[in-house]
Amino acid sequence: MTDKRCVYQEQITTYLDGELERETAAQFKKHIESCPQCSQELKEWEGVFDLLKLPEEEPGPGFTKSVLNALHRQKGETADLKQNPLILHDPWNIKNLTLVLSAIFLLAFSITSWLLTGAEQLLLIHHISRFVGIFVDTVFSLLPAPLAAWLYQVGNYLSLFADAVLTGLQQKLLLLLSWGETFFMLIRLLPPTAWVFMLVTGFIACLILGRLLENKTA
Amino acid sequence: MSKTDEELIVLSQQGDETAFAELVERYQNKVYTLAVHLLADREEGRDVAQEVFIRVYHALPRFRTDADFLPWLYTITANIARDRWRRRKREKGTIRVSLDEINAELADHRFSPESVLVKKDVSLMVEKAIASLPWDYRIPIVLRHSHELSYEEIAEIMKIPLNTVKTRIRRGRLLLKDILAPMLEQRRDS
Ligand SMILES: [Zn+2]
């Protein structure tokens, strides 16, 4: 064998792949007959190609069924997660998100009106704290005196802190209430018929949008 | 009369589960074979194939029916198998089937009473040899040899330039030729 590599050797695998131009392939074939180096190399590569041609495999019986089962399982899982507004790639979810948002809005709306009509409900917090106070006092009376005194001291600080928190909370609630009131005033600015009209058009627009989104993917 | 791929795809897109099952039935061998040859592991290959069809099911609504189905399947299979391979590498460290291992196995066979390798054993060893290649060489080699795709089809599936495909196939083959040399020798002897 000579040290020099024949230029045709570069073409051997491309030839076996059937990716040589017809003319080049003809030339190559002709060369092989006269070049022992290339014909030897060709034989070796033919062996490699023969080995590499692996047979087709079968995943075994029940494969399709396992795929369908996995899909069903997934569907069951996603059915629980359907309220999750983070999954937005599905138009179905966009529709759901709209529904959830309107539900949240309605809930907030009704809570606001409830608070507006009965602002004294805030007293409930004080009732609860008083009840807790009585309960704690009863427990303390059952403990040895020094320990009770110490705990009482700590409890005092805690209740001072809780009081501060509750007062702050109450102020926040009152702020929300004033917002609600402003909102109510805004609502009253328009006649009820206008609101009904807006609600109906909004609902119809939602329906049409949902239909359009559905059609796009089908 | 059996339905065409396109009909089955359209039906599946409309939520027809039987049509989708028929699609799976039709392509499961191709997908499974590719997965097995890329990972040299039947169990994992089955997992990958299953994941492929689940992903296909979810992606089907976005599939354009004028495109070819099989290349799309191959792309998805290659991606999922690659993720598996990377995860496996992270968890168990590099799994490179070494040349020594293959040679040792060959030596075992050489001295066994039935010195001729059974066809199935040969396939398994070749699978291992392919799985010892770097990932980027493995896909084009497998697609070219066991799936008999052209360079151009492979470029499209892997979404890489044609010349890159050619280079990777050439380099992968040179590596394989070295790894498989003892096996070829033995074949010639027997
Ligand atoms: Zn030559």
mmCIF file with all atom_site columns, all heavy atoms in Angstrom, chain A residues 6-9 31-32 34-39, ligand 1:
data_model
loop_
_atom_site.group_PDB
_atom_site.id
_atom_site.type_symbol
_atom_site.label_atom_id
_atom_site.label_alt_id
_atom_site.label_comp_id
_atom_site.label_asym_id
_atom_site.label_entity_id
_atom_site.label_seq_id
_atom_site.pdbx_PDB_ins_code
_atom_site.Cartn_x
_atom_site.Cartn_y
_atom_site.Cartn_z
_atom_site.occupancy
_atom_site.B_iso_or_equiv
_atom_site.pdbx_formal_charge
_atom_site.auth_seq_id
_atom_site.auth_comp_id
_atom_site.auth_asym_id
_atom_site.auth_atom_id
_atom_site.pdbx_PDB_model_num
ATOM   1  N  N   . CYS A 1 6  ? -5.648  8.050  -1.871  1.00 0.00 ? 6  CYS A N   1
ATOM   2  C  CA  . CYS A 1 6  ? -6.257  8.326  -3.160  1.00 0.00 ? 6  CYS A CA  1
ATOM   3  C  C   . CYS A 1 6  ? -7.377  9.353  -2.977  1.00 0.00 ? 6  CYS A C   1
ATOM   4  O  O   . CYS A 1 6  ? -8.126  9.295  -2.012  1.00 0.00 ? 6  CYS A O   1
ATOM   5  C  CB  . CYS A 1 6  ? -6.820  7.021  -3.707  1.00 0.00 ? 6  CYS A CB  1
ATOM   6  S  SG  . CYS A 1 6  ? -7.642  7.192  -5.260  1.00 0.00 ? 6  CYS A SG  1
ATOM   7  N  N   . VAL A 1 7  ? -7.476  10.305 -3.894  1.00 0.00 ? 7  VAL A N   1
ATOM   8  C  CA  . VAL A 1 7  ? -8.493  11.361 -3.757  1.00 0.00 ? 7  VAL A CA  1
ATOM   9  C  C   . VAL A 1 7  ? -9.903  10.787 -3.769  1.00 0.00 ? 7  VAL A C   1
ATOM   10 O  O   . VAL A 1 7  ? -10.821 11.354 -3.186  1.00 0.00 ? 7  VAL A O   1
ATOM   11 C  CB  . VAL A 1 7  ? -8.385  12.423 -4.883  1.00 0.00 ? 7  VAL A CB  1
ATOM   12 C  CG1 . VAL A 1 7  ? -7.243  13.376 -4.607  1.00 0.00 ? 7  VAL A CG1 1
ATOM   13 C  CG2 . VAL A 1 7  ? -8.257  11.771 -6.236  1.00 0.00 ? 7  VAL A CG2 1
ATOM   14 N  N   . TYR A 1 8  ? -10.078 9.671  -4.401  1.00 0.00 ? 8  TYR A N   1
ATOM   15 C  CA  . TYR A 1 8  ? -11.418 9.081  -4.504  1.00 0.00 ? 8  TYR A CA  1
ATOM   16 C  C   . TYR A 1 8  ? -11.920 8.528  -3.175  1.00 0.00 ? 8  TYR A C   1
ATOM   17 O  O   . TYR A 1 8  ? -13.099 8.272  -3.007  1.00 0.00 ? 8  TYR A O   1
ATOM   18 C  CB  . TYR A 1 8  ? -11.429 7.973  -5.567  1.00 0.00 ? 8  TYR A CB  1
ATOM   19 C  CG  . TYR A 1 8  ? -11.546 8.515  -6.977  1.00 0.00 ? 8  TYR A CG  1
ATOM   20 C  CD1 . TYR A 1 8  ? -10.418 8.799  -7.729  1.00 0.00 ? 8  TYR A CD1 1
ATOM   21 C  CD2 . TYR A 1 8  ? -12.805 8.755  -7.539  1.00 0.00 ? 8  TYR A CD2 1
ATOM   22 C  CE1 . TYR A 1 8  ? -10.522 9.297  -9.010  1.00 0.00 ? 8  TYR A CE1 1
ATOM   23 C  CE2 . TYR A 1 8  ? -12.912 9.260  -8.813  1.00 0.00 ? 8  TYR A CE2 1
ATOM   24 C  CZ  . TYR A 1 8  ? -11.771 9.536  -9.552  1.00 0.00 ? 8  TYR A CZ  1
ATOM   25 O  OH  . TYR A 1 8  ? -11.889 10.035 -10.808 1.00 0.00 ? 8  TYR A OH  1
ATOM   26 N  N   . GLN A 1 9  ? -10.971 8.326  -2.247  1.00 0.00 ? 9  GLN A N   1
ATOM   27 C  CA  . GLN A 1 9  ? -11.386 7.747  -0.959  1.00 0.00 ? 9  GLN A CA  1
ATOM   28 C  C   . GLN A 1 9  ? -12.398 8.621  -0.230  1.00 0.00 ? 9  GLN A C   1
ATOM   29 O  O   . GLN A 1 9  ? -13.239 8.117  0.511   1.00 0.00 ? 9  GLN A O   1
ATOM   30 C  CB  . GLN A 1 9  ? -10.162 7.523  -0.077  1.00 0.00 ? 9  GLN A CB  1
ATOM   31 C  CG  . GLN A 1 9  ? -9.379  6.327  -0.545  1.00 0.00 ? 9  GLN A CG  1
ATOM   32 C  CD  . GLN A 1 9  ? -8.514  5.744  0.539   1.00 0.00 ? 9  GLN A CD  1
ATOM   33 O  OE1 . GLN A 1 9  ? -8.445  6.255  1.628   1.00 0.00 ? 9  GLN A OE1 1
ATOM   34 N  NE2 . GLN A 1 9  ? -7.846  4.663  0.207   1.00 0.00 ? 9  GLN A NE2 1
ATOM   35 N  N   . HIS A 1 31 ? -13.199 4.109  -11.426 1.00 0.00 ? 31 HIS A N   1
ATOM   36 C  CA  . HIS A 1 31 ? -11.928 4.191  -10.699 1.00 0.00 ? 31 HIS A CA  1
ATOM   37 C  C   . HIS A 1 31 ? -11.730 2.977  -9.786  1.00 0.00 ? 31 HIS A C   1
ATOM   38 O  O   . HIS A 1 31 ? -10.625 2.432  -9.693  1.00 0.00 ? 31 HIS A O   1
ATOM   39 C  CB  . HIS A 1 31 ? -11.871 5.482  -9.878  1.00 0.00 ? 31 HIS A CB  1
ATOM   40 C  CG  . HIS A 1 31 ? -10.725 5.508  -8.921  1.00 0.00 ? 31 HIS A CG  1
ATOM   41 N  ND1 . HIS A 1 31 ? -9.433  5.812  -9.326  1.00 0.00 ? 31 HIS A ND1 1
ATOM   42 C  CD2 . HIS A 1 31 ? -10.646 5.235  -7.586  1.00 0.00 ? 31 HIS A CD2 1
ATOM   43 C  CE1 . HIS A 1 31 ? -8.636  5.736  -8.269  1.00 0.00 ? 31 HIS A CE1 1
ATOM   44 N  NE2 . HIS A 1 31 ? -9.357  5.390  -7.195  1.00 0.00 ? 31 HIS A NE2 1
ATOM   45 N  N   . ILE A 1 32 ? -12.804 2.564  -9.144  1.00 0.00 ? 32 ILE A N   1
ATOM   46 C  CA  . ILE A 1 32 ? -12.730 1.449  -8.198  1.00 0.00 ? 32 ILE A CA  1
ATOM   47 C  C   . ILE A 1 32 ? -12.108 0.214  -8.853  1.00 0.00 ? 32 ILE A C   1
ATOM   48 O  O   . ILE A 1 32 ? -11.293 -0.500 -8.264  1.00 0.00 ? 32 ILE A O   1
ATOM   49 C  CB  . ILE A 1 32 ? -14.147 1.102  -7.690  1.00 0.00 ? 32 ILE A CB  1
ATOM   50 C  CG1 . ILE A 1 32 ? -14.645 2.179  -6.724  1.00 0.00 ? 32 ILE A CG1 1
ATOM   51 C  CG2 . ILE A 1 32 ? -14.189 -0.251 -7.023  1.00 0.00 ? 32 ILE A CG2 1
ATOM   52 C  CD1 . ILE A 1 32 ? -13.899 2.222  -5.423  1.00 0.00 ? 32 ILE A CD1 1
ATOM   53 N  N   . SER A 1 34 ? -9.938  -0.028 -11.041 1.00 0.00 ? 34 SER A N   1
ATOM   54 C  CA  . SER A 1 34 ? -8.507  0.022  -11.310 1.00 0.00 ? 34 SER A CA  1
ATOM   55 C  C   . SER A 1 34 ? -7.686  0.337  -10.070 1.00 0.00 ? 34 SER A C   1
ATOM   56 O  O   . SER A 1 34 ? -6.465  0.338  -10.136 1.00 0.00 ? 34 SER A O   1
ATOM   57 C  CB  . SER A 1 34 ? -8.217  1.059  -12.402 1.00 0.00 ? 34 SER A CB  1
ATOM   58 O  OG  . SER A 1 34 ? -8.698  2.311  -11.964 1.00 0.00 ? 34 SER A OG  1
ATOM   59 N  N   . CYS A 1 35 ? -8.348  0.646  -8.955  1.00 0.00 ? 35 CYS A N   1
ATOM   60 C  CA  . CYS A 1 35 ? -7.590  1.049  -7.754  1.00 0.00 ? 35 CYS A CA  1
ATOM   61 C  C   . CYS A 1 35 ? -7.825  0.067  -6.616  1.00 0.00 ? 35 CYS A C   1
ATOM   62 O  O   . CYS A 1 35 ? -8.887  0.069  -5.993  1.00 0.00 ? 35 CYS A O   1
ATOM   63 C  CB  . CYS A 1 35 ? -7.987  2.467  -7.342  1.00 0.00 ? 35 CYS A CB  1
ATOM   64 S  SG  . CYS A 1 35 ? -7.201  3.008  -5.810  1.00 0.00 ? 35 CYS A SG  1
ATOM   65 N  N   . PRO A 1 36 ? -6.849  -0.793 -6.325  1.00 0.00 ? 36 PRO A N   1
ATOM   66 C  CA  . PRO A 1 36 ? -7.026  -1.786 -5.256  1.00 0.00 ? 36 PRO A CA  1
ATOM   67 C  C   . PRO A 1 36 ? -7.200  -1.135 -3.886  1.00 0.00 ? 36 PRO A C   1
ATOM   68 O  O   . PRO A 1 36 ? -7.947  -1.641 -3.053  1.00 0.00 ? 36 PRO A O   1
ATOM   69 C  CB  . PRO A 1 36 ? -5.736  -2.603 -5.315  1.00 0.00 ? 36 PRO A CB  1
ATOM   70 C  CG  . PRO A 1 36 ? -4.755  -1.765 -6.068  1.00 0.00 ? 36 PRO A CG  1
ATOM   71 C  CD  . PRO A 1 36 ? -5.532  -0.870 -6.974  1.00 0.00 ? 36 PRO A CD  1
ATOM   72 N  N   . GLN A 1 37 ? -6.526  0.000  -3.703  1.00 0.00 ? 37 GLN A N   1
ATOM   73 C  CA  . GLN A 1 37 ? -6.623  0.689  -2.407  1.00 0.00 ? 37 GLN A CA  1
ATOM   74 C  C   . GLN A 1 37 ? -8.076  1.100  -2.133  1.00 0.00 ? 37 GLN A C   1
ATOM   75 O  O   . GLN A 1 37 ? -8.614  0.863  -1.059  1.00 0.00 ? 37 GLN A O   1
ATOM   76 C  CB  . GLN A 1 37 ? -5.732  1.920  -2.437  1.00 0.00 ? 37 GLN A CB  1
ATOM   77 C  CG  . GLN A 1 37 ? -5.395  2.472  -1.071  1.00 0.00 ? 37 GLN A CG  1
ATOM   78 C  CD  . GLN A 1 37 ? -4.685  3.808  -1.183  1.00 0.00 ? 37 GLN A CD  1
ATOM   79 O  OE1 . GLN A 1 37 ? -4.116  4.146  -2.216  1.00 0.00 ? 37 GLN A OE1 1
ATOM   80 N  NE2 . GLN A 1 37 ? -4.736  4.574  -0.111  1.00 0.00 ? 37 GLN A NE2 1
ATOM   81 N  N   . CYS A 1 38 ? -8.680  1.710  -3.142  1.00 0.00 ? 38 CYS A N   1
ATOM   82 C  CA  . CYS A 1 38 ? -10.063 2.178  -2.980  1.00 0.00 ? 38 CYS A CA  1
ATOM   83 C  C   . CYS A 1 38 ? -11.033 1.005  -2.879  1.00 0.00 ? 38 CYS A C   1
ATOM   84 O  O   . CYS A 1 38 ? -12.004 1.064  -2.117  1.00 0.00 ? 38 CYS A O   1
ATOM   85 C  CB  . CYS A 1 38 ? -10.479 3.076  -4.139  1.00 0.00 ? 38 CYS A CB  1
ATOM   86 S  SG  . CYS A 1 38 ? -9.891  4.764  -3.948  1.00 0.00 ? 38 CYS A SG  1
ATOM   87 N  N   . SER A 1 39 ? -10.789 -0.031 -3.667  1.00 0.00 ? 39 SER A N   1
ATOM   88 C  CA  . SER A 1 39 ? -11.760 -1.131 -3.635  1.00 0.00 ? 39 SER A CA  1
ATOM   89 C  C   . SER A 1 39 ? -11.691 -1.856 -2.291  1.00 0.00 ? 39 SER A C   1
ATOM   90 O  O   . SER A 1 39 ? -12.715 -2.317 -1.774  1.00 0.00 ? 39 SER A O   1
ATOM   91 C  CB  . SER A 1 39 ? -11.558 -2.084 -4.814  1.00 0.00 ? 39 SER A CB  1
ATOM   92 O  OG  . SER A 1 39 ? -10.448 -2.905 -4.590  1.00 0.00 ? 39 SER A OG  1
HETATM 93 ZN ZN  . ZN  C 2 .  ? -8.298  5.005  -5.521  1.00 0.00 ? 1  ZN  C ZN  1
#
